[in-house]
Amino acid sequence: MTQVIVVTSGKGGVGKTTTSASFATGLALRGFKTIVIDFDVGLRNLDLIMGCERRVVYDLINVIQGEANLHQAMIKDKHCENLFVLPASQTRDKDALTEEGVEKILKDLEHMGFDYVVCDSPAGIERGAVMALTFADEALVVTNPEVSSIRDSDRILGILQSKSRRAKEGRESVKEHLIITRYSAKRVEEGEMLSYKDVQELLRIPLLGVIPESESVLQASNAGSPVIHSKGSEAAEAYADVVGRFLGEEHPMRFVSYEKPGLLKRIFGGA
């Protein structure tokens, strides 16, 4: 049965699209047939990070409005056999998203044998965001370790618990997972940033992973490649751990502690 996973947050710029791209890629690399859908109608960034922006002919809204079929709009990833992208429209209004249209797409994807549908939600609580979470079975709540981001994520948790189809039908709740991005263990040690334990204590949902602050994230985005492909980078390893934990594997939480450099390292230019 197809699992629908929404990647969401209350605040913009926390790394949702980066997470959607790497998480979907990670699932596909594990052999699962996966599609990632961009719900950010009017902006559309997922295709840039996935490196397929020049191949967009039809989009999510074209499919919903019957101007193209799903096969025409889906873009097959160049690197992963099992991965597909369904881009958002840059020219339509968010009101073009309809619950009936999204539900039909999800049913069609299930008939096509997809294991996972990853929904890249826009920030906030407007129509695109609510539509992305309506049919979710599980949610990856992405937040930075800062108070405003955490507060907005808490708001999203409330919406998940009240506006999802599962909530409306009185079924088992959407399963929530926390992903903390742009984490600096050094800044936490110096008292400049909330620790991952602080964030988890405030939001009280299970922690799926901590993604360290890394230049490789920006470099990968600019190159049009999900950062999980960036061999040797801490962010890539952290996203691989996230996928493993999601699939039920045990992985230690890495990149969350800071080791102060020794005297010699400090003398000779250590951080």
Side-chain angles (χ1 to χ4, degrees):
M1 186 163 173
T2 305
Q3 285 288 104
V4 180
I5 303 155
V6 64
V7 181
T8 185
S9 75
K11 192 171 184 289
V14 299
K16 276 187 310 303
T17 301
T18 294
T19 297
S20 297
S22 283
F23 183 73
T25 300
L27 290 171
L29 289 170
R30 294 296 196 96
F32 296 100
K33 190 175 182 183
T34 306
I35 185 166
V36 56
I37 304 176
D38 190 348
F39 276 82
D40 202 354
V41 175
L43 291 177
R44 196 174 87 189
N45 288 314
L46 179 66
D47 55 305
L48 289 169
I49 288 180
M50 297 297 294
C52 62
E53 71 277 7
R54 292 193 185 99
R55 296 161 61 201
V56 175
V57 178
Y58 295 109
D59 56 52
L60 173 64
I61 301 302
N62 291 136
V63 178
I64 286 175
Q65 298 193 337
E67 298 159 354
N69 65 44
L70 198 46
H71 287 285
Q72 289 176 292
M74 290 190 320
I75 300 169
K76 189 169 184 177
D77 187 72
K78 290 179 179 177
H79 307 288
C80 299
E81 183 69 23
N82 298 313
L83 183 60
F84 295 81
V85 180
L86 181 56
S89 171
Q90 280 185 308
T91 57
R92 306 293 183 94
D93 190 83
K94 290 178 174 63
D95 290 338
L97 275 174
T98 66
E99 198 166 306
E100 297 75 24
V102 173
E103 185 171 24
K104 183 179 185 307
I105 285 173
L106 294 176
K107 283 182 178 172
D108 288 346
L109 291 171
E110 186 165 7
H111 291 147
M112 289 179 194
F114 277 90
D115 298 300
Y116 291 104
V117 177
V118 178
C119 302
D120 180 28
S121 171
I125 56 174
E126 44 76 34
R127 187 175 184 81
V130 173
M131 206 56 62
L133 63 79
T134 294
F135 299 98
D137 299 306
E138 307 200 39
L140 308 186
V141 180
V142 182
T143 189
N144 294 157
E146 56 180 59
V147 173
S148 62
S149 180
I150 294 164
R151 183 191 62 190
D152 290 347
S153 292
D154 208 19
R155 174 90 169 110
I156 284 293
L157 289 171
I159 291 170
L160 271 169
Q161 290 156 12
S162 60
K163 292 196 174 184
S164 69
R165 179 68 69 87
R166 283 175 169 265
K168 288 176 182 176
E169 293 176 355
R171 292 186 285 141
E172 187 180 349
S173 300
V174 174
K175 190 175 180 182
E176 299 156 345
H177 309 272
L178 176 62
I179 296 180
I180 302 170
T181 53
R182 296 185 176 158
Y183 194 81
S184 168
K186 182 174 186 284
R187 291 181 64 196
V188 171
E189 180 72 22
E190 292 169 351
E192 297 175 359
M193 180 180 278
L194 292 170
S195 74
Y196 74 96
K197 291 179 180 176
D198 293 333
V199 178
Q200 192 178 15
E201 177 67 24
L202 288 164
L203 292 176
R204 295 187 175 277
I205 59 173
L207 179 64
L208 192 62
V210 176
I211 312 300
E213 182 77 70
S214 172
E215 286 183 13
S216 62
V217 173
L218 180 59
Q219 290 164 358
S221 295
N222 288 338
S225 174
V227 71
I228 198 168
H229 286 311
S230 302
K231 300 293 183 192
S233 85
E234 291 186 347
E237 291 177 25
Y239 274 119
D241 287 351
V242 162
V243 173
R245 290 189 200 101
F246 180 83
L247 295 173
E249 300 168 2
E250 294 283 336
H251 292 276
M253 201 64 69
R254 298 190 283 168
F255 317 117
V256 294
S257 56
Y258 175 65
E259 215 173 288
K260 288 186 177 178
L263 179 62
L264 285 176
K265 201 170 183 183
R266 288 204 302 273
I267 292 171
F268 294 106

